[in-house]
Amino acid sequence: MRDMSITPVFTPNAPAAGGHYAQAIKHAGLVYVSGQLPVAPDGSHHPEADFDAQARQAIRNLIAVAEAAGASVEDLLKVTVYIVDVANWPRFNAVYAQMLGNVRPARSVVPVPELHCGYLVEIDAIAACKD
């Protein structure tokens, strides 16, 4: 029988939650990864970094949280990306494709007017959990 408990996920390999939420929640074989800004795992902020660097850090954070929950890039089911300025979409797509390789989960890209701390990208996801 599948474990139906609700388990918060925390890892030092991604920035700590900045508010009243967990980095992710595991439930019923799925991992729900909270929105990951391009904050360094040590909590330092670099909103001045260029878009590509921000996208890479946000994706690294997403992967670190998913892995802490027992999932991998290959287990990603649905990814939602929030980007400031739709003109950044091609840059995000290039970085994302480079980092995920042949893995192609369902994905939405949502242009927004601004994000917390002046960042240009935020990403969340749902993944299948192996354990």
Side-chain angles (χ1 to χ4, degrees), residues 7 24 33 53 65 82 101 115 122 127:
T7 307
V33 180
V65 174
Y82 306 91
L115 290 167
E122 182 172 355

Side-chain angles (χ1 to χ4, degrees), residues 53-66:
Q54 289 192 33
R56 286 182 205 295
Q57 185 61 60
I59 294 168
R60 280 194 299 268
N61 292 343
L62 176 80
I63 293 168
V65 174

Side-chain angles (χ1 to χ4, degrees), residues 38-51:
V39 178
D42 67 4
S44 61
H45 288 268
H46 304 283
E48 74 287 349
D50 68 25
F51 183 85

